[in-house]
Coordinates of all heavy atoms in Angstrom, one line a residue:
M1 N -194.3 -112.1 -63.5 CA -194.8 -113.4 -62.9 C -196.3 -113.3 -62.7 O -196.8 -112.3 -62.3 CB -194.0 -113.6 -61.6 CG -194.6 -114.7 -60.8 SD -193.6 -114.9 -59.3 CE -193.7 -116.6 -59.1
T2 N -196.9 -114.5 -63.0 CA -198.4 -114.6 -62.8 C -198.6 -115.7 -61.8 O -198.0 -116.7 -61.8 CB -199.1 -115.0 -64.1 OG1 -198.6 -114.1 -65.1 CG2 -200.6 -114.9 -64.0
V3 N -199.5 -115.4 -60.8 CA -199.9 -116.4 -59.8 C -201.4 -116.7 -60.0 O -202.2 -115.7 -60.0 CB -199.5 -116.0 -58.4 CG1 -200.1 -117.1 -57.4 CG2 -198.1 -115.9 -58.2
T4 N -201.8 -117.9 -60.2 CA -203.2 -118.2 -60.3 C -203.7 -119.0 -59.1 O -202.9 -119.7 -58.4 CB -203.5 -119.0 -61.6 OG1 -202.8 -120.2 -61.6 CG2 -203.2 -118.2 -62.8
F5 N -204.9 -118.9 -58.8 CA -205.5 -119.6 -57.6 C -206.8 -120.3 -58.0 O -207.7 -119.8 -58.6 CB -205.8 -118.5 -56.6 CG -206.6 -119.0 -55.4 CD1 -206.0 -119.9 -54.5 CD2 -207.9 -118.6 -55.1 CE1 -206.7 -120.4 -53.4 CE2 -208.6 -119.0 -54.0 CZ -208.0 -120.0 -53.2
E6 N -206.9 -121.6 -57.6 CA -208.0 -122.4 -57.9 C -208.8 -122.6 -56.5 O -208.3 -123.5 -55.7 CB -207.6 -123.7 -58.5 CG -208.5 -124.3 -59.4 CD -208.0 -125.6 -60.0 OE1 -206.8 -125.6 -60.4 OE2 -208.7 -126.7 -59.9
A7 N -209.8 -121.9 -56.3 CA -210.5 -121.9 -55.0 C -211.0 -123.3 -54.6 O -210.9 -123.6 -53.4 CB -211.6 -120.9 -55.0
G8 N -211.4 -124.0 -55.5 CA -212.0 -125.4 -55.2 C -211.0 -126.3 -54.7 O -211.3 -127.3 -54.0
R9 N -209.7 -126.1 -54.9 CA -208.6 -127.0 -54.4 C -208.1 -126.5 -53.0 O -207.4 -127.3 -52.3 CB -207.4 -127.0 -55.4 CG -207.8 -127.6 -56.7 CD -206.5 -127.6 -57.5 NE -205.7 -128.7 -57.1 CZ -205.5 -129.8 -57.9 NH1 -206.1 -129.9 -59.0 NH2 -204.7 -130.8 -57.4
C10 N -208.3 -125.3 -52.7 CA -207.7 -124.7 -51.5 C -208.1 -125.4 -50.2 O -209.3 -125.6 -50.0 CB -208.0 -123.2 -51.4 SG -207.3 -122.4 -49.9
R11 N -207.2 -125.8 -49.4 CA -207.5 -126.5 -48.1 C -207.3 -125.5 -46.9 O -207.3 -125.9 -45.8 CB -206.6 -127.7 -47.9 CG -206.9 -128.8 -48.9 CD -206.1 -130.0 -48.6 NE -206.1 -130.9 -49.7 CZ -205.2 -131.8 -49.8 NH1 -204.2 -132.0 -48.9 NH2 -205.2 -132.7 -50.9
H12 N -207.1 -124.2 -47.2 CA -207.0 -123.2 -46.2 C -205.9 -123.5 -45.2 O -206.1 -123.3 -44.0 CB -208.4 -123.0 -45.5 CG -209.5 -122.7 -46.5 ND1 -209.5 -121.6 -47.3 CD2 -210.5 -123.5 -47.0 CE1 -210.6 -121.6 -48.1 NE2 -211.1 -122.8 -48.0
A13 N -204.9 -124.1 -45.6 CA -203.8 -124.4 -44.8 C -203.0 -123.1 -44.4 O -202.2 -123.1 -43.5 CB -202.8 -125.4 -45.4
A14 N -203.2 -122.1 -45.2 CA -202.6 -120.7 -44.9 C -201.1 -120.7 -45.1 O -200.5 -119.8 -44.6 CB -203.0 -120.2 -43.5
E15 N -200.5 -121.7 -45.7 CA -199.1 -121.7 -46.0 C -198.7 -120.4 -46.7 O -197.7 -119.8 -46.5 CB -198.6 -122.9 -46.8 CG -198.6 -124.2 -46.1 CD -197.5 -124.2 -45.1 OE1 -196.5 -123.5 -45.3 OE2 -197.6 -125.0 -44.1
C16 N -199.6 -120.0 -47.7 CA -199.3 -118.8 -48.5 C -199.3 -117.6 -47.6 O -198.4 -116.7 -47.7 CB -200.3 -118.8 -49.6 SG -202.0 -118.9 -49.1
V17 N -200.4 -117.4 -46.9 CA -200.6 -116.2 -46.1 C -199.5 -116.1 -45.0 O -199.0 -115.0 -44.8 CB -202.0 -116.2 -45.4 CG1 -202.2 -115.0 -44.5 CG2 -203.1 -116.3 -46.5
R18 N -199.2 -117.2 -44.4 CA -198.1 -117.1 -43.3 C -196.7 -117.0 -44.0 O -195.9 -116.3 -43.4 CB -198.1 -118.5 -42.6 CG -199.1 -118.5 -41.4 CD -198.7 -119.5 -40.4 NE -198.5 -120.8 -41.0 CZ -199.5 -121.8 -41.0 NH1 -200.6 -121.6 -40.3 NH2 -199.3 -122.9 -41.5
G19 N -196.6 -117.5 -45.1 CA -195.2 -117.5 -45.8 C -194.9 -116.2 -46.3 O -193.7 -115.7 -46.3
L20 N -195.9 -115.5 -46.9 CA -195.6 -114.2 -47.6 C -196.8 -113.3 -47.5 O -197.5 -113.1 -48.5 CB -195.2 -114.5 -49.0 CG -194.2 -113.7 -49.8 CD1 -193.0 -113.4 -49.0 CD2 -193.9 -114.4 -51.1
P21 N -197.1 -112.7 -46.3 CA -198.3 -111.9 -46.1 C -198.4 -110.7 -47.0 O -199.5 -110.2 -47.3 CB -198.2 -111.6 -44.6 CG -196.9 -111.9 -44.1 CD -196.3 -112.9 -45.1
E22 N -197.2 -110.2 -47.4 CA -197.3 -109.0 -48.3 C -197.8 -109.3 -49.7 O -198.3 -108.5 -50.4 CB -195.9 -108.3 -48.3 CG -194.8 -109.1 -48.9 CD -194.0 -109.8 -47.8 OE1 -194.6 -110.4 -46.9 OE2 -192.8 -109.9 -47.9
V23 N -197.7 -110.6 -50.1 CA -198.2 -111.0 -51.4 C -199.6 -111.6 -51.2 O -200.5 -111.3 -52.0 CB -197.2 -112.1 -52.0 CG1 -197.8 -112.7 -53.3 CG2 -195.9 -111.4 -52.3
F24 N -199.8 -112.5 -50.2 CA -201.0 -113.2 -50.0 C -201.8 -112.6 -48.8 O -201.3 -112.8 -47.7 CB -200.8 -114.7 -49.8 CG -200.0 -115.3 -51.0 CD1 -198.7 -115.5 -50.9 CD2 -200.7 -115.7 -52.1 CE1 -198.0 -116.1 -51.9 CE2 -200.0 -116.3 -53.1 CZ -198.7 -116.5 -53.1
D25 N -202.8 -111.8 -49.1 CA -203.6 -111.2 -48.0 C -205.0 -111.3 -48.4 O -205.6 -110.6 -49.2 CB -203.1 -109.7 -47.9 CG -203.9 -109.0 -46.8 OD1 -204.8 -109.5 -46.2 OD2 -203.5 -107.8 -46.5
T26 N -205.7 -112.2 -47.6 CA -207.1 -112.5 -48.0 C -208.1 -111.3 -47.6 O -209.2 -111.3 -48.1 CB -207.6 -113.7 -47.2 OG1 -207.3 -113.6 -45.8 CG2 -206.9 -115.0 -47.7
A27 N -207.6 -110.3 -46.9 CA -208.4 -109.2 -46.6 C -208.4 -108.2 -47.7 O -209.2 -107.2 -47.7 CB -207.9 -108.5 -45.3
R28 N -207.6 -108.4 -48.7 CA -207.4 -107.4 -49.8 C -208.0 -108.0 -51.1 O -208.1 -109.2 -51.3 CB -205.9 -107.2 -49.9 CG -205.4 -106.0 -50.5 CD -203.9 -106.0 -50.5 NE -203.4 -107.3 -51.0 CZ -202.2 -107.7 -50.8 NH1 -201.3 -107.1 -50.0 NH2 -201.7 -108.8 -51.3
R29 N -208.3 -107.1 -52.0 CA -208.8 -107.5 -53.4 C -208.0 -106.7 -54.4 O -208.0 -105.5 -54.3 CB -210.3 -107.3 -53.6 CG -211.1 -108.3 -52.8 CD -211.0 -109.7 -53.2 NE -211.7 -110.6 -52.4 CZ -211.3 -111.2 -51.2 NH1 -210.1 -111.0 -50.8 NH2 -212.1 -112.0 -50.6
P30 N -207.3 -107.4 -55.3 CA -207.1 -108.8 -55.4 C -206.2 -109.3 -54.2 O -205.4 -108.5 -53.8 CB -206.4 -109.0 -56.7 CG -205.7 -107.7 -57.0 CD -206.5 -106.6 -56.4
W31 N -206.4 -110.5 -53.8 CA -205.7 -111.0 -52.6 C -204.3 -111.4 -52.8 O -203.5 -111.6 -51.9 CB -206.5 -112.0 -51.8 CG -206.5 -113.4 -52.4 CD1 -207.3 -113.8 -53.4 CD2 -205.8 -114.5 -51.9 NE1 -207.1 -115.1 -53.6 CE2 -206.1 -115.6 -52.7 CE3 -204.8 -114.7 -50.9 CZ2 -205.6 -116.9 -52.6 CZ3 -204.3 -116.0 -50.7 CH2 -204.7 -117.0 -51.6
I32 N -204.0 -111.7 -54.1 CA -202.6 -112.1 -54.5 C -201.9 -110.9 -55.3 O -202.4 -110.5 -56.3 CB -202.6 -113.3 -55.3 CG1 -203.3 -114.5 -54.6 CG2 -201.2 -113.7 -55.7 CD1 -203.5 -115.7 -55.5
R33 N -200.8 -110.5 -54.7 CA -200.0 -109.4 -55.5 C -198.6 -110.0 -55.7 O -197.7 -109.8 -54.9 CB -199.9 -108.2 -54.6 CG -201.2 -107.4 -54.6 CD -201.1 -106.1 -54.0 NE -202.4 -105.5 -53.9 CZ -202.7 -104.5 -53.0 NH1 -201.8 -104.0 -52.3 NH2 -203.9 -104.0 -53.0
P34 N -198.4 -110.7 -56.8 CA -197.1 -111.3 -57.1 C -196.0 -110.3 -57.1 O -194.8 -110.7 -56.8 CB -197.3 -112.0 -58.4 CG -198.8 -111.9 -58.7 CD -199.4 -110.9 -57.9
D35 N -196.2 -109.1 -57.4 CA -195.1 -108.1 -57.5 C -194.7 -107.5 -56.2 O -193.7 -106.8 -56.1 CB -195.6 -106.9 -58.4 CG -195.9 -107.4 -59.8 OD1 -195.4 -108.5 -60.2 OD2 -196.7 -106.7 -60.6
A36 N -195.3 -107.9 -55.1 CA -195.0 -107.4 -53.8 C -193.7 -108.1 -53.2 O -193.3 -107.7 -52.1 CB -196.2 -107.5 -52.8
A37 N -193.2 -109.1 -53.9 CA -192.0 -109.7 -53.4 C -191.2 -110.2 -54.6 O -191.8 -110.2 -55.7 CB -192.3 -110.9 -52.5
D38 N -190.0 -110.6 -54.5 CA -189.2 -111.1 -55.6 C -189.8 -112.4 -56.1 O -190.3 -113.2 -55.3 CB -187.7 -111.1 -55.4 CG -187.3 -112.2 -54.5 OD1 -187.0 -113.3 -55.1 OD2 -187.3 -112.1 -53.3
A39 N -189.6 -112.6 -57.4 CA -190.3 -113.8 -58.0 C -189.8 -115.1 -57.4 O -190.6 -116.1 -57.3 CB -190.0 -113.8 -59.6
G40 N -188.5 -115.2 -57.1 CA -188.0 -116.5 -56.5 C -188.7 -116.8 -55.2 O -189.1 -118.0 -54.9
T41 N -188.9 -115.8 -54.4 CA -189.6 -116.0 -53.1 C -191.0 -116.4 -53.3 O -191.5 -117.3 -52.6 CB -189.4 -114.7 -52.2 OG1 -188.1 -114.3 -52.2 CG2 -189.9 -114.9 -50.8
V42 N -191.7 -115.7 -54.2 CA -193.1 -116.0 -54.5 C -193.2 -117.5 -55.0 O -194.1 -118.2 -54.5 CB -193.7 -115.0 -55.5 CG1 -195.2 -115.4 -55.8 CG2 -193.7 -113.6 -54.9
A43 N -192.3 -117.8 -55.9 CA -192.4 -119.2 -56.4 C -192.2 -120.2 -55.3 O -192.8 -121.3 -55.3 CB -191.3 -119.4 -57.5
E44 N -191.3 -119.9 -54.4 CA -191.0 -120.9 -53.3 C -192.2 -121.1 -52.4 O -192.6 -122.2 -52.0 CB -189.9 -120.3 -52.4 CG -189.3 -121.2 -51.4 CD -188.3 -120.5 -50.5 OE1 -187.5 -119.7 -51.0 OE2 -188.5 -120.6 -49.3
V45 N -192.9 -120.0 -52.1 CA -194.1 -120.1 -51.3 C -195.3 -120.8 -52.0 O -196.0 -121.6 -51.5 CB -194.6 -118.7 -50.8 CG1 -195.9 -118.8 -50.1 CG2 -193.5 -118.2 -49.8
V46 N -195.4 -120.5 -53.3 CA -196.4 -121.2 -54.1 C -196.2 -122.7 -54.1 O -197.1 -123.5 -54.0 CB -196.4 -120.7 -55.6 CG1 -197.2 -121.6 -56.5 CG2 -197.0 -119.2 -55.6
R47 N -194.9 -123.1 -54.2 CA -194.6 -124.5 -54.2 C -194.9 -125.2 -52.9 O -195.0 -126.4 -52.8 CB -193.1 -124.7 -54.6 CG -192.8 -124.5 -56.1 CD -191.5 -125.1 -56.5 NE -190.4 -124.4 -55.8 CZ -189.7 -123.4 -56.4 NH1 -190.0 -123.0 -57.6 NH2 -188.7 -122.8 -55.7
R48 N -195.0 -124.4 -51.8 CA -195.3 -125.0 -50.5 C -196.8 -125.2 -50.3 O -197.3 -125.9 -49.4 CB -194.9 -123.9 -49.4 CG -193.6 -124.2 -48.8 CD -193.4 -123.3 -47.6 NE -192.4 -122.4 -47.8 CZ -192.3 -121.2 -47.2 NH1 -193.1 -120.8 -46.3 NH2 -191.3 -120.4 -47.5
C49 N -197.7 -124.7 -51.2 CA -199.1 -124.9 -51.1 C -199.4 -126.4 -51.2 O -199.1 -127.1 -52.1 CB -199.8 -124.2 -52.3 SG -201.6 -124.5 -52.4
P50 N -200.0 -126.9 -50.1 CA -200.2 -128.4 -50.0 C -201.3 -128.9 -50.9 O -201.4 -130.1 -51.2 CB -200.6 -128.6 -48.5 CG -201.2 -127.3 -48.1 CD -200.5 -126.2 -48.9
S51 N -202.2 -128.1 -51.5 CA -203.3 -128.5 -52.3 C -203.1 -128.4 -53.8 O -203.9 -129.0 -54.5 CB -204.5 -127.8 -51.8 OG -204.4 -126.4 -52.3
G52 N -202.1 -127.6 -54.2 CA -202.0 -127.4 -55.6 C -202.9 -126.3 -56.1 O -203.0 -126.0 -57.3
A53 N -203.6 -125.6 -55.2 CA -204.5 -124.5 -55.6 C -203.7 -123.3 -56.2 O -204.3 -122.6 -57.0 CB -205.3 -124.0 -54.3
L54 N -202.5 -123.1 -55.7 CA -201.7 -122.0 -56.3 C -200.8 -122.5 -57.4 O -200.2 -123.6 -57.3 CB -200.8 -121.4 -55.2 CG -201.6 -120.6 -54.1 CD1 -200.6 -120.2 -53.0 CD2 -202.3 -119.4 -54.6
R55 N -200.7 -121.7 -58.4 CA -199.7 -122.0 -59.5 C -199.1 -120.7 -59.9 O -199.6 -119.7 -59.7 CB -200.4 -122.5 -60.7 CG -201.1 -123.8 -60.5 CD -201.8 -124.2 -61.8 NE -202.7 -125.4 -61.6 CZ -202.8 -126.3 -62.5 NH1 -202.3 -126.2 -63.7 NH2 -203.6 -127.3 -62.3
Y56 N -197.9 -120.8 -60.4 CA -197.2 -119.6 -60.9 C -196.7 -119.9 -62.3 O -196.4 -121.0 -62.7 CB -196.1 -119.2 -60.0 CG -194.9 -120.1 -59.9 CD1 -193.9 -119.9 -60.8 CD2 -194.9 -121.1 -58.9 CE1 -192.8 -120.8 -60.7 CE2 -193.8 -121.9 -58.9 CZ -192.7 -121.8 -59.8 OH -191.6 -122.6 -59.7
E57 N -196.5 -118.8 -63.0 CA -195.9 -118.8 -64.3 C -194.8 -117.7 -64.3 O -195.1 -116.6 -64.0 CB -196.9 -118.6 -65.4 CG -196.5 -119.2 -66.7 CD -197.7 -119.2 -67.7 OE1 -198.8 -119.4 -67.2 OE2 -197.4 -119.0 -68.8
R58 N -193.6 -118.1 -64.7 CA -192.5 -117.1 -64.8 C -192.0 -117.1 -66.2 O -191.8 -118.1 -66.8 CB -191.4 -117.5 -63.9 CG -191.7 -117.2 -62.4 CD -190.6 -117.7 -61.6 NE -189.4 -116.9 -61.7 CZ -188.3 -117.0 -60.9 NH1 -188.3 -117.9 -59.9 NH2 -187.3 -116.2 -61.0
A59 N -191.8 -115.9 -66.7 CA -191.3 -115.7 -68.1 C -190.0 -116.4 -68.2 O -189.7 -117.0 -69.3 CB -191.2 -114.2 -68.4
D60 N -189.2 -116.4 -67.2 CA -187.8 -116.9 -67.3 C -187.7 -118.4 -67.0 O -186.7 -119.0 -67.2 CB -186.9 -116.1 -66.4 CG -187.3 -116.2 -64.9 OD1 -188.5 -116.4 -64.7 OD2 -186.5 -115.9 -64.1
E61 N -188.8 -119.0 -66.4 CA -188.6 -120.3 -65.9 C -189.8 -121.2 -66.3 O -189.7 -122.5 -66.2 CB -188.6 -120.3 -64.3 CG -188.1 -121.5 -63.7 CD -188.2 -121.4 -62.2 OE1 -189.4 -121.5 -61.6 OE2 -187.2 -121.2 -61.5
G62 N -190.8 -120.7 -66.9 CA -192.0 -121.5 -67.3 C -192.9 -121.7 -66.1 O -192.9 -121.0 -65.1
E63 N -193.8 -122.7 -66.3 CA -194.9 -122.9 -65.3 C -194.4 -123.7 -64.1 O -193.5 -124.6 -64.2 CB -196.0 -123.6 -66.0 CG -197.3 -123.4 -65.4 CD -198.4 -124.2 -66.1 OE1 -198.3 -124.4 -67.3 OE2 -199.4 -124.5 -65.5
G64 N -195.0 -123.5 -63.0 CA -194.7 -124.3 -61.8 C -195.9 -124.4 -60.9 O -196.8 -123.6 -61.1
R65 N -195.9 -125.4 -60.1 CA -197.0 -125.5 -59.2 C -196.6 -126.4 -58.0 O -195.6 -127.0 -58.0 CB -198.2 -126.2 -59.9 CG -197.9 -127.6 -60.4 CD -199.1 -128.3 -60.9 NE -200.0 -128.5 -59.8 CZ -201.2 -129.1 -59.9 NH1 -201.6 -129.4 -61.1 NH2 -201.9 -129.3 -58.9
A66 N -197.5 -126.4 -57.0 CA -197.2 -127.2 -55.8 C -197.3 -128.6 -56.3 O -198.0 -129.0 -57.2 CB -198.2 -126.9 -54.7
S67 N -196.7 -129.5 -55.5 CA -196.8 -130.9 -55.8 C -198.2 -131.4 -55.7 O -198.9 -131.0 -54.7 CB -195.9 -131.7 -54.9 OG -194.6 -131.2 -54.9
P68 N -198.7 -132.2 -56.5 CA -200.1 -132.7 -56.4 C -200.1 -133.6 -55.2 O -199.1 -134.2 -54.8 CB -200.3 -133.5 -57.7 CG -199.0 -133.8 -58.2 CD -198.1 -132.8 -57.7
P69 N -201.3 -133.8 -54.6 CA -201.4 -134.7 -53.4 C -201.0 -136.1 -53.9 O -201.1 -136.5 -55.1 CB -202.9 -134.7 -53.1 CG -203.5 -133.6 -53.9 CD -202.6 -133.3 -55.0
P70 N -200.5 -137.0 -52.9 CA -200.1 -138.3 -53.3 C -201.2 -139.1 -54.0 O -202.4 -138.9 -53.7 CB -199.8 -139.0 -52.0 CG -199.8 -137.9 -51.0 CD -200.5 -136.7 -51.5
T71 N -200.8 -139.9 -55.0 CA -201.8 -140.7 -55.7 C -202.6 -141.6 -54.7 O -202.1 -142.1 -53.8 CB -201.1 -141.7 -56.7 OG1 -200.1 -140.9 -57.4 CG2 -202.0 -142.3 -57.7
G72 N -203.9 -141.6 -55.0 CA -204.8 -142.3 -54.1 C -205.3 -141.6 -52.9 O -206.2 -142.0 -52.2
A73 N -204.8 -140.3 -52.7 CA -205.3 -139.5 -51.6 C -206.8 -139.1 -51.9 O -207.2 -138.9 -53.1 CB -204.5 -138.3 -51.5
A74 N -207.6 -139.0 -50.9 CA -209.0 -138.7 -51.0 C -209.1 -137.3 -51.6 O -208.4 -136.4 -51.2 CB -209.7 -138.8 -49.7
D75 N -210.0 -137.1 -52.5 CA -210.3 -135.8 -53.0 C -211.1 -135.0 -52.0 O -212.1 -135.4 -51.5 CB -211.1 -135.9 -54.3 CG -211.1 -134.6 -55.1 OD1 -211.2 -133.5 -54.4 OD2 -211.1 -134.6 -56.3
P76 N -210.5 -133.8 -51.6 CA -211.2 -133.0 -50.6 C -212.6 -132.5 -51.0 O -213.4 -132.2 -50.1 CB -210.3 -131.8 -50.3 CG -209.5 -131.7 -51.5 CD -209.4 -133.1 -52.1
E77 N -212.9 -132.5 -52.3 CA -214.2 -132.0 -52.7 C -215.3 -133.1 -52.6 O -215.3 -134.0 -53.2 CB -214.2 -131.5 -54.2 CG -213.2 -130.4 -54.3 CD -213.5 -129.2 -53.4 OE1 -214.6 -128.8 -53.2 OE2 -212.5 -128.7 -52.7
Ligands
SF4_101 S1 -201.3 -122.5 -49.3 FE1 -202.7 -123.3 -50.8 S2 -204.1 -124.5 -49.7 FE2 -203.1 -123.2 -48.2 S3 -204.5 -121.4 -48.1 FE3 -202.9 -120.9 -49.6 S4 -203.9 -121.5 -51.5 FE4 -205.0 -122.5 -49.9

């Protein structure tokens, strides 16, 4: 499983860090370790990301990402 992060989209809501601290730890480099938990759990937390900054790709399931912000929402950048 691969997890990618787009820093420009991150709203620092910390859903990832709170949801799965063993995978998402900003004090560490690299700060995302997808193998530190089972793929289903990592995918679930990635889908909780409110900004779409996190995405994952699973060999068995294809690509996934958090829901994009509602249409018409102001761009945080
Ligand atoms: S859940 Fe998404 S928006 Fe929140 S800190 Fe993590 S990457 Fe950033």
Side-chain angles (χ1 to χ4, degrees):
M1 171 178 210
T2 309
V3 176
T4 60
F5 172 66
E6 208 180 312
R9 297 183 76 108
C10 177
R11 291 186 196 161
H12 307 289
E15 286 290 335
C16 52
V17 177
R18 275 202 303 262
L20 212 46
E22 60 269 42
V23 172
F24 302 97
D25 181 352
T26 54
R28 208 179 45 201
R29 291 294 177 271
W31 77 279
I32 302 173
R33 287 190 187 159
D35 297 336
D38 74 89
T41 308
V42 176
E44 191 191 311
V45 171
V46 167
R47 285 195 296 263
R48 263 190 248 158
C49 171
S51 68
L54 290 174
R55 295 175 188 218
Y56 68 87
E57 204 170 323
R58 286 175 72 169
D60 57 340
E61 197 185 73
E63 202 178 336
R65 60 171 294 177
S67 308
T71 313
D75 191 323
E77 297 307 315

